[in-house]
Amino acid sequence: QEKEAANRVLRNEYGYAAGSLHLDVDTSKYDQTGDPHDIELMPTDLTYNLLQRWEAIAEVISTIDYPEEAIEQEDWLNVYHTFAKNRFDMEEASEEITEREEYGSANSMVINDYIDVGSVYNDDFREFLEENGIEAPDQRRLE
């Protein structure tokens, strides 16, 4: 019973990690063994793009961690945990950057959205990226 619960938690972790980091999932071995440790996570081009943006942001915002070692070891669960732990700091930094936004409130999601899919739809944030020499695609939020 306990092992089943632990397995379910771990299986979910793999799912969250795959979703958050755009990883491909291979469950062929897991399907045979039922051991979640046999689930294989594989980076995609989207994963590498996300990591590139994350690294660029982490270089200019000291509160955001970039788990270089875990990435080198392709320890994707660990990378995911760092990403999840950073969420609050990303939101806080986002609000600081977008405080000047003319139209009302600061936006706590700009960094997250940028790292996740590369979208930049906030002028203050675009300015911040440019000032820091980070490439930003010129696009409003894609409908």
Side-chain angles (χ1 to χ4, degrees), residues 26-107:
D26 178 1
T27 58
S28 52
K29 193 172 169 199
Y30 164 73
D31 293 336
Q32 292 162 6
T33 64
D35 181 350
H37 292 99
D38 289 334
I39 296 172
E40 246 185 291
L41 296 175
M42 289 148 311
T44 63
D45 286 348
L46 290 174
T47 307
Y48 290 120
N49 294 342
L50 177 148
L51 293 174
Q52 223 173 347
R53 291 188 294 265
W54 184 2
E55 186 175 26
I57 290 284
E59 276 171 17
V60 296
I61 301 177
S62 58
T63 53
I64 295 174
D65 299 321
Y66 181 75
E68 209 163 318
E69 223 171 278
I71 289 165
E72 276 167 25
Q73 294 161 358
E74 304 214 339
D75 178 355
W76 298 115
L77 284 188
N78 210 329
V79 174
Y80 163 69
H81 286 287
T82 305
F83 194 63
K85 270 201 295 252
N86 271 263
R87 178 156 259 167
F88 181 73
D89 292 312
M90 287 178 188
E91 290 178 4
E92 214 160 65
S94 293
E95 285 179 9
E96 273 169 38
I97 292 166
T98 59
E99 259 172 358
R100 304 192 312 265
E101 190 75 350
E102 285 167 58
Y103 310 103
S105 61
N107 185 323

Side-chain angles (χ1 to χ4, degrees), residues 90-142:
M90 287 178 188
E91 290 178 4
E92 214 160 65
S94 293
E95 285 179 9
E96 273 169 38
I97 292 166
T98 59
E99 259 172 358
R100 304 192 312 265
E101 190 75 350
E102 285 167 58
Y103 310 103
S105 61
N107 185 323
S108 64
M109 294 310 288
V110 289
I111 291 175
N112 220 335
D113 290 343
Y114 173 69
I115 291 176
D116 185 28
V117 291
S119 68
V120 179
Y121 50 83
N122 174 291
D123 292 333
D124 286 338
F125 184 58
R126 177 176 289 106
E127 220 168 277
F128 169 84
L129 292 176
E130 283 165 6
E131 280 165 14
N132 286 286
I134 298 173
E135 250 179 81
D138 188 23
Q139 61 180 57
R140 298 294 176 241
R141 188 192 283 275
L142 295 172

